[in-house]
Amino acid sequence: AQSVTQLDSHVSVSEGTPVLLRCNYSSSYSPSLFWYVQHPNKGLQLLLKYTSAATLVKGINGFEAEFKKSETSFHLTKPSAHMSDAAEYFCVVRRMDSSYKLIFGSGTRLLVRP
Amino acid sequence: DGGITQSPKYLFRKEGQNVTLSCEQNLNHDAMYWYRQDPGQGLRLIYYSQIVNDFQKGDIAEGYSVSREKKESFPLTVTSAQKNPTAFYLCASSIGETRGNQPQHFGDGTRLSIL
């Protein structure tokens, strides 16, 4: 069965310092992986997606994620946090029994301190 | 601009009442979805539709109903059978596909509360 685990429910960083949001996945097949961001009372916005073309995926707003098959990880990083990055982030894997279904992690809330 | 519009933004339901949440998209997407989000949890799939006049139950369909009479519209009815309807409801759409990595695009949600 497929699953995705976000290892931290909350992450707090200072503005200008690096961001690391951790995600591990479980899948018998080569997975399709996504990171989404959600600001308060808003819908989800796609940050980036893993397409198997490259293990290092660049997304919007300076975020990137590295797919590591040996570690079954897809961690999200950003070199320098901005106040506007404060939001909830979801790691998502597509279900292999249906391309229409996604499995969402429980989310990581990022707090950025001034 | 293309996108997904959900209305209303806030909705209140009385006990025993059915309420309908609207979702409209102008992205020309074939597939549409309804999710429920509870505090501290990820999204859970309620219903999805791959094409007009067809829809399937998701993981938590009990107490909900949908229709897909038009490509651009996918309304969700929360019935009185749903005993714990207070949640944030998100509608999404995507290009219809059987493989690939096309993402889902989300509306800004409807927050439903019980009076």
Side-chain angles (χ1 to χ4, degrees), chain B residues 69-86:
Chain B
E69 298 176 359
K70 298 186 297 182
K71 185 176 185 177
E72 59 269 24
S73 178
F74 191 41
L76 173 73
T77 296
V78 184
T79 74
S80 57
Q82 172 50 244
K83 298 305 179 187
N84 185 24
T86 297

Side-chain angles (χ1 to χ4, degrees), chain B residues 1-70:
Chain B
D1 288 337
I4 300 176
T5 302
Q6 291 188 242
S7 62
K9 191 169 181 63
Y10 299 95
L11 187 58
F12 299 91
R13 195 191 89 170
K14 296 180 180 178
E15 293 288 342
Q17 186 180 49
N18 293 352
V19 292
T20 298
L21 285 59
S22 171
C23 177
E24 303 278 332
Q25 56 99 358
N26 60 4
L27 299 168
N28 199 32
H29 285 169
D30 288 312
M32 297 187 74
Y33 314 79
W34 274 106
Y35 292 93
R36 171 181 171 135
Q37 185 177 27
D38 294 284
Q41 298 187 33
L43 278 64
R44 292 183 290 169
L45 183 64
I46 304 173
Y47 269 98
Y48 68 104
S49 169
Q50 300 175 36
I51 198 168
V52 175
N53 293 322
D54 186 45
F55 50 83
Q56 288 79 39
K57 292 182 179 180
D59 301 315
I60 55 165
E62 185 175 353
Y64 301 97
S65 66
V66 294
S67 63
R68 186 83 187 279
E69 298 176 359
K70 298 186 297 182

Side-chain angles (χ1 to χ4, degrees), chain A residues 19-62:
Chain A
V19 175
L20 170 63
L21 305 183
R22 299 182 295 165
C23 173
N24 285 357
Y25 68 90
S26 171
S27 178
S28 302
Y29 301 91
S30 180
S32 298
L33 293 160
F34 308 83
W35 275 99
Y36 281 87
V37 61
Q38 184 181 33
H39 289 91
N41 294 311
K42 291 289 188 180
L44 277 67
Q45 180 185 17
L46 180 70
L47 280 176
L48 50 81
K49 63 181 181 182
Y50 169 66
T51 62
S52 75
T55 57
L56 184 62
V57 183
K58 294 189 182 299
I60 62 172
N61 301 334

